[in-house]
Structure formats: C-alpha cells, structure tokens
Amino acid sequence: MSAAGATAAALLLATASPPTGAAATATGDVQRAMETLAETPGVVGAIGGAYMNGKPAGRGTAGSRLLDGKGGAIPADSRFRIGSQSKTMVATVLLQLVEEGRIGLDDKLADLLPEVAADGLVERADEITVQQLVQHTSGIPDWFHQSGSTAPAFDVFDFTTYHPPIEIVKMTRGRPRTGAPGETYAYSNTNYTLIGMIIEKVTGHTLARELDRRLFRPLGMTGTYQATRPPEGIKGPHGHGYYPDSTGAPRDVHRFNASWGNGAGGVVSTTQDLSTFRRALNQGRLLPPPLQAVLTGGSAQQGGGLCGGRLKGQMLGGSAPGLTTLTFASTDGRQQFAISVTRSTAADDAIVPAMIKSVEAVLCPTA
C-alpha cells in the first residue's frame, strides 16, 4: 500500500511468461532463509512458508515478535496483514461479478458510483471503466501519499478514527491525474478503494462478507479475514511492526487503522492461506481464462522466471507502515512461498531485495 509497497508491486505484480520448461521442485531451508532475512537492517521479525502441491514443504521464523528481540519468536503459522496482496483477492471478487453478468468490464465508474462523479470528485469518472480500475490505468491519483512526498497522507498513529471509503477518495481531490483513462499504467490505491465500494454497491453486502463468502470459506482459508473498522487488530499471536514518529523513535503500529485497507489492502492472512488462494487462482478455479487474463494483464511485464528460467510464476508484494509481504506462486499452481516481515523503518527499499533473495534461496536451492 505504501510507495515501497508499490515498488514491490511494480516489480512484484509482474507476471512471468508461461512455462516452457520443467518447473523447479526442490525446496531449500526456509528456516535458514528467514534467519538470513532477519539480519537485514530494519527487520524486526520474519516468517515464511513454502508449499508444494497444496502441502507444507517448509516453514521458518526468525527475529522477534516485538522490537529489540523481545516477545519471543513469531509463530510461523501466525496471521499478518498482507497489504496490497489483498488487491488480487478483491479484483477476483469483482471479476466474479463480471462473470455473473452483474457488471461489465466496460461499465463506467460514474454509472456504478454516481457519488464519486458528483462535483467532479473523480475527474472523468464518466470515461473510466471497471477494467481500467482493475489494471491501474484509470489515471486516478493515489490517496496514500502526500503530494510530492513518500510520506503517508494520513496520521499513521491514529488507530481509532473510522474513515468511510468516500472520505478516503476525497483525499485525492485537486491532485493531478496520472494520465487519460486507459492511457498508461500508474499504481493507485484509489482504484481499489473504488472497487471495494463497487462490490458493496452491486452486492448489497460488505466487502468483508463477499470476500469470506466467495473466497475464504470455499477455499478453507480459516485464518483469513478482512479487517474493517478500527481498532480491529490481528487475531492471535503475531509480529508487531513499527513506524518512526516525528522524533524518529519507532512506535508500535500493529493496530494499523483498518479504515485505510478497504479494497486496497485490508486482508489479514497466513502463509498457508495465501498459498491456498494463489494455488486456486493459478489453477483456474476462481475465474475463467479471459477474466483471469484481465487480472494478470494490466501491469504484467514478461520475465524469465526463477531458477534460471525453470520456475515460472508471479511474485506479488504488499507494504504498509510496519509491514512488508511477498508471495511467489508458480504458474502451474504447484509451488508457493509466502513471507511476512515486520519492520521498524519507514521504507522497505533494502528489505524487498532481501526478501526476493529469500525466495530464490528456498525455491532455487541448487542455483
């Protein structure tokens, strides 16, 4: 969700080319990979889980649950906020509504949400389509950051005030568009705040209910839920992330305000549940091929895959104050590896590359 999360997404929302060779099948030492990752400056704790053909192939935990080595280890099977990885789940629900004929890819934002077109709140809302929202080509500016800055445009330490989605969209008023509708890719959390609103308008249900009804329960993702209103936190033992205050001192933000999630990044999950979702998606069990192509085609960049090109797949990331997540999923649905990192830094520019090295160490152990 943050700029660093968008960095992860720019690199990690990329879809590798279809498999042309044998997939890698060996799995490296997840525990050792997490121990190495936890040595990265700014990392408080790290957990990871590798899965092969739907079954655990290795777990690891390193660092600590709290800052400065306190609180013991984070349970490897604990829940964590997945940040912008939520977007893939939210988009899947939206595209299921398209499959059901309840909305269309070419439907206009102004028709679906007249309230955001009123008084020009979202400029050119009468031209922006559902598909453009999904693929980040709407040109709508991002609400997350202050204009011209990487700093959040909201009080990171306000854990109690509820902000309705329409109020979050209003934060973009007056900000420059990133392009004409459909012109270019520009990552924006606002697209998915709006998608969450569309899902609720079309179904008459909360986004949390639709995610649970369509994805979490059918797939047996028993550790996963959508956080909706503050001060809702993470259920059960979990790692605590930190964010520097105005003096530079790290403050605990594990109860990050659920308002900011909505469709943009509100899901709490586990490594196993993330792997379960990505396995089902890549096996084509959630969307028909044309709609799955809409989901993966917007910002996709062709890549050579991991392990010298033997392992094809997608690497998705998400980030918010105090956390960074990353999941690799092979195109054939056989292998997944999910990582959650809690951190004490404002940015994760050094942490994301270290996480990618962890993925390679686990999935390409002979490289």
Side-chain angles (χ1 to χ4, degrees):
M1 289 175 60
S2 68
T7 299
L11 156 90
L12 311 170
L13 271 179
T15 303
S17 52
T20 56
T25 56
T27 301
D29 189 332
V30 178
Q31 178 60 32
R32 178 181 293 182
M34 293 301 98
E35 291 170 357
T36 301
L37 177 58
E39 295 173 356
T40 307
V43 171
V44 177
I47 61 174
Y51 300 85
M52 172 72 72
N53 296 322
K55 300 184 181 302
R59 286 180 176 174
T61 177
S64 55
R65 202 168 58 83
L66 304 175
L67 193 63
D68 297 328
K70 299 177 181 178
I74 306 171
D77 59 352
S78 64
R79 295 182 177 94
F80 51 90
R81 300 184 192 277
I82 70 171
S84 284
Q85 289 197 61
S86 307
K87 290 181 173 69
T88 309
M89 299 177 181
V90 172
T92 299
V93 169
L94 182 78
L95 293 173
Q96 287 181 348
L97 294 174
V98 173
E99 182 184 12
E100 294 164 8
R102 301 175 70 176
I103 55 175
L105 290 175
D106 294 327
D107 285 357
K108 301 298 191 290
L109 177 60
D111 296 327
L112 294 168
L113 296 175
E115 61 269 34
V116 305
D119 300 322
L121 174 56
V122 175
E123 296 178 8
R124 305 179 72 167
D126 59 339
E127 302 174 52
I128 295 167
T129 67
V130 166
Q131 182 163 337
Q132 289 165 359
L133 293 173
V134 171
Q135 297 182 335
H136 293 289
T137 60
S138 69
I140 300 172
D142 192 3
W143 57 258
F144 193 96
H145 299 103
Q146 299 175 17
S147 295
S149 170
T150 59
F154 54 90
D155 183 357
V156 172
F157 305 112
D158 179 359
F159 307 133
T160 59
T161 305
Y162 174 65
H163 302 278
I166 187 67
E167 297 300 321
I168 295 173
V169 175
K170 288 179 180 178
M171 293 168 61
T172 67
R173 188 188 288 278
R175 296 189 181 188
R177 289 180 52 81
T178 58
E183 179 182 23
T184 187
Y185 171 85
Y187 188 86
S188 174
N189 287 284
T190 315
N191 290 316
Y192 277 75
T193 300
L194 292 164
I195 287 174
M197 295 171 67
I198 290 170
I199 290 171
E200 293 188 341
K201 177 71 73 72
V202 171
T203 64
H205 302 146
T206 65
L207 175 61
R209 178 177 173 182
E210 286 299 305
L211 285 165
D212 188 61
R213 184 175 74 87
R214 293 172 176 270
L215 300 179
F216 305 158
R217 278 188 289 163
L219 294 176
M221 298 167 62
T222 57
T224 303
Y225 61 95
Q226 167 90 359
T228 56
R229 286 178 176 262
E232 184 177 13
I234 302 172
K235 300 173 184 177
H238 57 273
H240 289 226
Y242 299 80
Y243 192 83
D245 63 17
S246 59
T247 70
R251 286 181 56 186
D252 193 326
V253 291
H254 82 111
R255 298 193 76 85
F256 183 69
N257 192 316
S259 296
W260 306 116
N262 187 259
V267 173
V268 175
S269 191
T270 66
T271 61
Q272 181 162 349
D273 282 2
L274 268 177
S275 298
T276 296
F277 168 72
R278 296 293 302 283
R279 174 175 167 80
L281 183 66
N282 283 7
Q283 288 180 336
R285 291 190 278 132
L286 302 178
L287 293 170
L291 291 178
Q292 187 150 340
V294 170
L295 178 58
T296 59
S299 63
Q301 301 171 5
Q302 295 302 310
L306 297 178
C307 313
R310 298 191 311 277
L311 183 59
K312 308 298 183 178
Q314 309 88 35
M315 195 134 53
L316 300 184
S319 185
L323 70 91
T324 305
T325 67
L326 180 64
T327 303
F328 175 87
S330 66
T331 304
D332 61 12
R334 295 183 62 197
Q335 286 182 276
Q336 300 83 32
F337 181 41
I339 306 173
S340 167
V341 163
T342 47
R343 63 177 204 266
S344 59
T345 57
D348 58 3
D349 296 350
I351 294 173
V352 169
M355 294 173 76
I356 293 173
K357 288 183 180 179
S358 296
V359 174
E360 293 170 338
V362 169
L363 298 183
C364 313
T366 60

